[in-house]
Amino acid sequence: MPGGKPAGVACPHLDADNLCSLHGLAERPRVCSDFRPCADTCGSSREEALQLMTSMEDLTSP
Ligand code: SF4
């Protein structure tokens, strides 16, 4: 996405099963390849991860 992905917008590379369509490909952004999941950011479920991401986006919004 030119200018970066806005907060609250899903990545355009997610497929219908919410899996990364770029996984394993050179086109996958380095920030994604370098990310290591942890409880602080991912919680223990998809719902908890979305809540944590929304909270982090709210806390860092301009
Ligand atoms: S890993 Fe990165 S490129 Fe893949 S779906 Fe997630 S945010 Fe998008």
Side-chain angles (χ1 to χ4, degrees):
M1 287 182 172
K5 183 187 80 56
V9 174
C11 178
H13 302 299
L14 285 172
D15 66 15
D17 295 319
N18 285 318
L19 300 176
C20 179
S21 61
L22 300 182
H23 196 272
L25 302 179
E27 294 87 344
R28 191 179 190 210
R30 184 168 176 192
V31 67
C32 303
S33 301
D34 287 351
F35 178 75
R36 295 293 172 262
C38 67
D40 287 350
T41 55
C42 302
S44 58
S45 66
R46 182 176 188 276
E47 290 71 26
E48 191 175 355
L50 289 171
Q51 290 173 352
L52 289 166
M53 279 192 290
T54 300
S55 174
M56 286 185 275
E57 288 175 345
D58 288 345
L59 290 170
T60 58
S61 69

